[in-house]
Amino acid sequence: MSDLLYSEIENDLRAGVRELLDDKAPWSSVLAGTEKDEPYDAGLWRALAAQLGCAGLPVPEDLGGAGATWRETAVVMEELGRTAAPVPFLTSSVIATAALLAAGERDLLAELAAGSRIAVLAVPFSTAPGDEVPAVQAADGTLTGEVTSVADGMAADVFLVPASGALYAVDAADARRTAVTSLDMTRRLADAAFSAAPARRVGDVGAARAALLTGAAMLASEQLGLAQRCLDDTVAYVKTRYQFGRPVGSYQGLKHRLADLWTSITQARAVARHAASCAAAGDGDAPVAAAVAQAHCSAVAVKAAEECVQMHGGIGFTWEHPAHLFLKRAKADSIALGTPDRHRAALAALVDLPPA
């Protein structure tokens, strides 16, 4: 049975990450960044990945990492979800790092742990664990093919490309990248095309599948952090917004909606923490835990963001309020790494339930 409580180390880590994000990623800065061409906040990334050392949390100490686990990484994901921070942490420090850990690749892993390079798994962002990967072909040490909708594709220094039953590393300079209009401008998508691109084999394709599973588990923590932020902001607002001489939060209808949302988020915290614990321990139930977490947390994050917009009234619908940042991130996350329906179907297969 996994321990769902946060440890003292995890709470200290949370405090450090939150202090950094409150300083360098207030919502006004995040919003301003969505109107620029830069694919991510380079200054924030340096502070988070290198100075604070978060990029190397699950990486062994002999490779320059912290020697921690995916549980600690999940705490960082919660805080990044709380701010919708525009950094490639999920794609590089979680998914690509998990792929390299599974593949046993050391040199590139050390660079990711140091925050000196960014690697991205070249699959569509909607790819769920167990899905077929794109048809990129490997021949004579080169790759040819195209992958659409790669998250943080424009930020990558290296692509990890599943091809012909193996996993290859390709320098991003050897790929043709095209930015894609993204719903969530804090995590942008790009198409990547390879035409006889020089490639180095780093492992088998199973490493990519393992990475997607870990990514799905960690994404649930991001959705949890986002949902909690939406609830906190909404509760604070309805306590101070007056209508007809009384705070709108005193109306029973809104109280019930907020109570229901609090209950859903509490449940989301349990399943997200369990998924993180299973990933950290290499538990055989990790596929089940990740499917449960994604099936639940995706919907909760979207609901929390929608309630945040609606309960803020007119201001919540404007560009001058952060609610739309959270709604877009929540909607994009609900598609990322498999939709809730896709994870429910996977869960049914894992526990031998007949299809509907």
Side-chain angles (χ1 to χ4, degrees), residues 155-209:
D157 299 308
V158 179
F159 284 110
L160 300 180
V161 189
S164 304
L167 185 67
Y168 294 86
V170 177
D171 195 297
D174 294 321
R176 186 179 74 255
R177 295 181 283 182
T178 305
V180 175
T181 301
S182 308
L183 170 64
D184 177 13
M185 292 299 288
T186 65
R187 180 179 286 140
R188 305 185 191 195
L189 308 180
D191 296 339
F194 309 94
S195 179
R200 177 172 64 90
R201 190 183 190 278
V202 294
D204 61 39
V205 75
R209 297 193 179 100

Side-chain angles (χ1 to χ4, degrees), residues 196-291:
R200 177 172 64 90
R201 190 183 190 278
V202 294
D204 61 39
V205 75
R209 297 193 179 100
L212 290 171
L213 180 63
T214 300
M218 294 297 102
L219 182 61
S221 289
E222 175 177 292
Q223 292 163 326
L224 167 63
L226 185 155
Q228 186 65 60
R229 169 67 180 273
C230 289
L231 176 62
D232 292 345
D233 284 1
T234 305
V235 169
Y237 180 77
V238 299
K239 285 181 177 179
T240 58
R241 175 75 171 105
Y242 276 71
Q243 192 174 64
F244 304 114
R246 57 187 288 193
V248 296
S250 66
Y251 290 98
Q252 190 175 50
L254 294 187
K255 286 182 178 180
H256 287 175
R257 286 166 62 179
L258 289 169
D260 288 344
L261 185 58
W262 179 89
T263 301
S264 296
I265 293 173
T266 301
Q267 294 167 339
R269 177 167 288 104
V271 296
R273 292 295 292 164
H274 179 59
S277 294
C278 287
D283 195 300
D285 282 340
V288 172

Side-chain angles (χ1 to χ4, degrees), residues 3 15 19 35 61-62 71 94 127 130 149 169 174 184 199 215 219 230 241 252 278 281 289 298 303 312 340:
D3 183 1
E19 182 179 5
E35 300 177 322
E61 292 183 82
D62 62 343
R71 279 180 60 109
V94 174
T127 305
S149 302
D174 294 321
D184 177 13
L219 182 61
C230 289
R241 175 75 171 105
Q252 190 175 50
C278 287
S298 288
K303 180 65 173 178
H312 275 81

Side-chain angles (χ1 to χ4, degrees), residues 1-348:
M1 184 68 178
S2 60
D3 183 1
L4 304 183
L5 299 178
Y6 297 99
S7 68
E8 183 177 350
I9 292 175
E10 290 166 347
N11 285 329
D12 289 344
L13 175 62
R14 181 192 304 281
V17 174
R18 183 170 295 192
E19 182 179 5
L20 171 69
L21 294 174
D22 286 347
D23 178 46
K24 294 187 177 295
W27 74 265
S28 55
S29 296
V30 174
L31 177 59
T34 65
E35 300 177 322
K36 300 178 181 178
D37 292 333
E38 289 81 0
Y40 68 103
D41 186 330
L44 175 60
W45 175 245
R46 284 192 298 271
L48 178 72
Q51 296 171 19
L52 208 57
C54 291
L57 282 173
V59 177
E61 292 183 82
D62 62 343
L63 292 177
T69 73
W70 293 114
R71 279 180 60 109
E72 288 78 17
T73 305
V75 171
V76 179
M77 288 294 294
E78 283 186 43
E79 292 304 304
L80 294 175
R82 180 178 170 271
T83 57
V87 291
F89 189 84
L90 172 64
T91 47
S92 185
S93 301
V94 174
I95 299 175
T97 295
L100 295 174
L101 284 170
E105 163 64 28
R106 297 177 62 85
D107 293 339
L108 181 53
L109 189 59
E111 292 178 307
L112 298 194
S116 59
R117 299 189 87 186
I118 296 169
V120 169
L121 185 65
V123 297
F125 197 34
S126 59
T127 305
D131 283 357
E132 291 295 323
V133 295
V136 176
Q137 298 300 316
D140 301 323
T142 65
L143 298 184
T144 299
E146 184 175 4
V147 186
T148 60
S149 302
V150 179
D152 291 322
M154 298 302 291
D157 299 308
V158 179
F159 284 110
L160 300 180
V161 189
S164 304
L167 185 67
Y168 294 86
V170 177
D171 195 297
D174 294 321
R176 186 179 74 255
R177 295 181 283 182
T178 305
V180 175
T181 301
S182 308
L183 170 64
D184 177 13
M185 292 299 288
T186 65
R187 180 179 286 140
R188 305 185 191 195
L189 308 180
D191 296 339
F194 309 94
S195 179
R200 177 172 64 90
R201 190 183 190 278
V202 294
D204 61 39
V205 75
R209 297 193 179 100
L212 290 171
L213 180 63
T214 300
M218 294 297 102
L219 182 61
S221 289
E222 175 177 292
Q223 292 163 326
L224 167 63
L226 185 155
Q228 186 65 60
R229 169 67 180 273
C230 289
L231 176 62
D232 292 345
D233 284 1
T234 305
V235 169
Y237 180 77
V238 299
K239 285 181 177 179
T240 58
R241 175 75 171 105
Y242 276 71
Q243 192 174 64
F244 304 114
R246 57 187 288 193
V248 296
S250 66
Y251 290 98
Q252 190 175 50
L254 294 187
K255 286 182 178 180
H256 287 175
R257 286 166 62 179
L258 289 169
D260 288 344
L261 185 58
W262 179 89
T263 301
S264 296
I265 293 173
T266 301
Q267 294 167 339
R269 177 167 288 104
V271 296
R273 292 295 292 164
H274 179 59
S277 294
C278 287
D283 195 300
D285 282 340
V288 172
V292 171
Q294 273 304 299
H296 182 71
C297 294
S298 288
V300 170
V302 171
K303 180 65 173 178
E306 290 174 343
E307 292 286 56
C308 182
V309 170
Q310 292 180 14
M311 292 196 198
H312 275 81
I315 188 64
F317 288 83
T318 68
W319 191 251
E320 290 73 23
H321 194 276
H324 65 91
L325 292 172
F326 301 126
L327 180 58
K328 290 171 184 174
R329 173 64 71 91
K331 293 294 285 186
D333 279 359
S334 71
I335 301 169
L337 304 178
T339 63
D341 283 346
R342 174 68 180 81
H343 284 284
R344 280 190 285 269
L347 179 61

